[in-house]
Every structure is written in C-alpha cells, then in structure tokens.
Amino acid sequence: MVSKVVVTLRLYLCILLLCWIPKLYAFDLVHEPISPIPAASNLSPEKIELGESLFHDVRLSKDNSISCASCHNLSKGGTDNQPVSRGVNDALGSANAPTVYNSALNFMQFWDGRAFNLREQTNGPVHNPVEMNSNWPEITHKLSHDRPLSERFARLYPEGLTADNIQDAIATFEASLLTSHSPFDRWLKGDAQALSEQQIQGYRLFKSYGCISCHQGANVGGNMFAYLGAVNNVQSYFQQRGTPINPPDYGRYNVTGELEDKYLFKVPSLRLAVKTAPYFHDGSVSTLQEAIRLMARYQLGREIPDNHTEAIIIFLHSLVGEHPRLTP
Ligand code: HEC
Ligand code: HEC
C-alpha cells in the first residue's frame, strides 16, 4: 500500500516536472535583458501629423533656415551623420546628434540627461545659439500669421497655438517614431527563424563580454548613465582622440556640478547604431568597428578580436526595426 502511494507520488512529481520544463524555457526567453519595442499606442493621429509638420518647419529657427529634421533626418536613421551638428549660420555645435527614433523610450533626454522628457527636450534646440537660436514668443508670433496652421491647432487644443502645444505636438510625433518588428524582436517573441546563426552568436558575445550590463532594455540603452572609461582611464580616451577636453566631454557633471558625475553619460541606444555613424557624444569615432573596440577597452578593460567585433555588428543589424519614414 505504502509503496503504491510512493510510486503514484513519484509519477505525479515526474509529470509536474515535465510540465514545467517548457515553462522554464519560456521563462528564460521572457527574461532576456533586451525586450521588444512596444507598439506606439493611444497617440492622436492628428497630433502626430501636426507634430510631423512642425518637426520639418524651418520657422522654428531664428532665420528660417533649419528645422529639427535638418539635424535629425528621418530617412537617415534620425541623425545628420555628422560628427557634430551645424545650426543657424552654419554654427558648429559641440555634440553628436543622437537619433530621434525610439527616443520616447529613453529615461531622460540628451547625452547628459538634462531634459526629463521629450516635451522639455524641445526647449534645448530652440534656444541653443548654435542650433535654432530662437525662443517661443518669436516662434508663436511667426506661426500665428499662418492661418491654416493656427486653425489646425485650434481644432486639436482648446488653447490653440501656444508654445506648450507646439511642444506637445512635436513630442507626440516623436513618440510615434518607434521602430518595431525588428528581426531581433521577432526572435524574442518566439520566431526562431528570425535570426541567423551568426546573429545569435553575436548576441551571445554581446552578453558574454558584458555590453549588456549597460546596453539593455527595449532601447538597448537609454535607461541608465555610465562613465565613459568605466574600467579604463578616461584620460587615455581623450589622449588617443587627440583634441583637448571640452565642457561637453564632462557629461552629467554639466547638469549636477558634482565632481563624481564627470564623464558620466546616458548610455546611448544601439537600436539604430548600424545607421547612425559617427559615434560617441563627441562624434569622434567614425566606424562601428572602432566604437566597439573602444567600448571593449574603456568600458570592459578588454581587447576584442576582429571576428568578435564583426559578429556583434551582425547582431546589431538585427535590432533595426521598421517605421514608414525609415528607409531600410
Ligand atoms: C543644429 C542641429 C539640431 C537641431 C536643429 C535639432 N537638434 Fe535635436 N539634437 C542635436 C544634438 C547635437 C543633440 C545632442 C545634444 C546633447 O545631448 O548635448 C540633440 C538631441 C536631441 C534629442 C535627444 C535624444 C537622446 O537620445 O538623448 C531629441 C529627442 C532631439 N534632439 C529632438 C529634436 C527636436 C524635436 C528638434 C526641433 C525642435 C531638434 N532636435 C533640433 C542636434 C539638433
Ligand atoms: C559600463 C557601461 C558600458 C558598457 C559595458 C558598454 N557600453 Fe557602449 N556605451 C556606453 C556609454 C556611456 C556610451 C557613450 C559614450 C560616449 O558617447 O562618450 C556608449 C557608446 C556605445 C556605442 C556608440 C553609440 C552611439 O550612438 O554613439 C556603441 C556602438 C557601443 N557603446 C557598443 C558597445 C558594445 C558592443 C559593448 C560591449 C563590447 C559596449 N558598448 C559596452 C556604455 C557602455
């Protein structure tokens, strides 16, 4: 009798375990450190459309010469592909323009996180003397002469055309710039065919080297700050760059004034990295190969062989998703 109970119990345990194995497997997939880009939802299509036209509107700049799109070209991965951007009167900026795609997923905006969200972010380029060199009263004054535009605002916002509402429309448009359905995301969701063997190999290396400790989450970055030179001395990074250290190189220190925040940067998203050369906050690195070599050295204290770099690049290609404005 007792042995019968033991046998039944064992059988029961075996069945329980067998049922659990696929669950454990699925559990593992869910807990990959990168998650799929969510679909943009609950955004008003009319506000997106209005935001898109403002994003391309040169009247946001002092001399009507540049728009947001001048530095964030949507067909070029949302950047200008320049080391540092040029603003009104060809003024040379001091930082590399990050992509606007998926920027809604970042926990803060700018390399040093000086804006908390996309609405607040728009104050930066509008006022920056080497970008649009303007201000909200000037912009709303100019735009208010545009009847059809004022009417569009009036239809969508009770207060009509105001600085707040310009910011809201642009931020709404940017929130729609999500690149979903990448091969990598399809793989995360269970489509085993979505990635090649080489891409999976590249992803394994990305994890085993430790890149994933900083470049993670839905945006494969954009959710934490990290020191440039987390492991290796940052001074030798600037030495090999060959140009003097400038204020933008101080990163988060410029926001907080705390010495320990020197050289601390928002970890950039790698979602569109294959499209957004040159690299780093200073735009000093022209290829992905070089960016990865420097990352391994300064962030992880390792020298990475070329075949591993290439495998990681092949993996990075799988992170690129789709958006109607983004040319494949
Ligand atoms: C003259 C070029 C230029 C113009 C014009 C410009 N930007 Fe930028 N943008 C940049 C640069 C350079 C940065 C990075 C600056 C920094 O972090 O210090 C940036 C950063 C951003 C970011 C932050 C992204 C991130 O990952 O942190 C967003 C979002 C953005 N810009 C949107 C806009 C919008 C919206 C406009 C128009 C209102 C605009 N930009 C106009 C060059 C430009
Ligand atoms: C300790 C955190 C950390 C680790 C580990 C790390 N990174 Fe980075 N990564 C950063 C930060 C911070 C930057 C921005 C540096 C700057 O602009 O000065 C960056 C920038 C990059 C860029 C340039 C992106 C752009 O748009 O400019 C690439 C590509 C990159 N990392 C890939 C990698 C790879 C591949 C690995 C692993 C070999 C890795 N990173 C490891 C924090 C990290």
Side-chain angles (χ1 to χ4, degrees):
M1 178 63 195
V2 171
S3 73
K4 215 172 177 185
V5 167
V6 169
V7 168
T8 330
L9 212 66
R10 275 196 187 147
L11 201 71
Y12 181 70
L13 279 175
C14 278
I15 291 168
L16 211 67
L17 198 69
L18 278 175
C19 290
W20 261 93
I21 286 170
K23 282 215 179 105
L24 284 175
Y25 183 65
F27 185 75
D28 190 41
L29 271 186
V30 169
H31 280 75
E32 287 295 338
I34 296 175
S35 47
I37 288 189
S41 62
N42 292 329
L43 300 172
S44 141
E46 292 84 10
K47 286 185 186 171
I48 294 178
E49 219 175 287
L50 176 61
E52 177 160 20
S53 50
L54 294 165
F55 190 84
H56 289 90
D57 198 324
V58 292
R59 289 172 295 185
L60 267 63
S61 64
K62 178 104 194 154
D63 58 1
N64 301 337
S65 63
I66 62 166
S67 69
C68 309
S70 309
C71 301
H72 300 284
N73 185 329
L74 296 177
S75 61
K76 282 183 165 179
T79 67
D80 52 10
N81 297 123
Q82 300 296 316
V84 293
S85 298
R86 282 180 185 274
V88 292
N89 297 322
D90 227 17
L92 201 60
S94 52
N96 179 254
T99 180
V100 278
Y101 282 104
N102 307 311
S103 55
L105 303 174
N106 293 336
F107 81 134
M108 289 186 185
Q109 304 298 329
F110 290 125
W111 288 101
D112 54 13
R114 65 185 178 279
F116 279 109
N117 54 44
L118 289 173
R119 285 177 64 120
E120 194 187 325
Q121 189 282 330
T122 55
N123 287 319
V126 159
H127 294 103
N128 192 331
V130 296
E131 292 188 349
M132 299 171 124
N133 191 27
S134 188
N135 57 67
W136 293 115
E138 204 168 278
I139 292 168
T140 43
H141 180 72
K142 271 197 261 179
L143 295 184
S144 63
H145 293 302
D146 181 336
R147 238 318 161 60
L149 185 71
S150 303
E151 284 165 4
R152 274 172 88 183
F153 271 98
R155 277 197 299 276
L156 294 171
Y157 298 97
E159 318 79 14
L161 199 167
T162 64
D164 269 359
N165 295 340
I166 295 173
Q167 291 179 289
D168 183 74
I170 293 177
T172 306
F173 168 60
E174 288 176 306
S176 76
L177 295 174
L178 298 181
T179 61
S180 42
H181 306 301
S182 65
F184 189 78
D185 288 3
R186 283 188 271 124
W187 181 79
L188 280 177
K189 289 176 179 169
D191 176 359
Q193 308 300 314
L195 293 190
S196 67
E197 222 9 85
Q198 280 176 308
Q199 287 172 323
I200 294 176
Q201 163 73 359
Y203 178 46
R204 283 204 193 106
L205 288 167
F206 190 80
K207 288 198 286 189
S208 60
Y209 271 96
C211 314
I212 199 78
S213 60
C214 297
H215 298 278
Q216 39 156 287
N219 217 1
V220 198
N223 67 357
M224 61 184 276
F225 290 111
Y227 290 104
L228 173 62
V231 171
N232 219 323
N233 185 355
V234 69
Q235 298 304 331
S236 65
Y237 168 81
F238 293 116
Q239 263 158 29
Q240 60 85 37
R241 184 178 75 181
T243 50
I245 298 181
N246 293 308
D249 294 325
Y250 294 143
R252 186 96 185 121
Y253 168 77
N254 293 326
V255 180
T256 64
E258 303 284 344
L259 273 178
E260 71 254 30
D261 288 345
K262 260 193 180 174
Y263 316 117
L264 194 61
F265 293 93
K266 187 183 73 197
V267 175
S269 163
L270 299 185
R271 277 285 177 182
L272 295 183
V274 297
K275 289 178 176 285
T276 60
Y279 301 102
F280 290 7
H281 71 279
D282 53 14
S284 68
V285 176
S286 52
T287 66
L288 211 40
Q289 277 82 358
E290 181 68 357
I292 295 173
R293 206 170 57 79
L294 292 174
M295 275 289 127
R297 180 178 300 162
Y298 289 100
Q299 307 305 80
L300 296 156
R302 299 183 64 175
E303 295 301 315
I304 185 169
D306 290 348
N307 61 333
H308 285 183
T309 303
E310 291 308 324
I312 290 178
I313 292 175
I314 289 171
F315 152 66
L316 293 179
H317 276 273
S318 77
L319 295 175
V320 181
E322 297 161 11
H323 187 278
R325 301 285 176 273
L326 181 73
T327 39

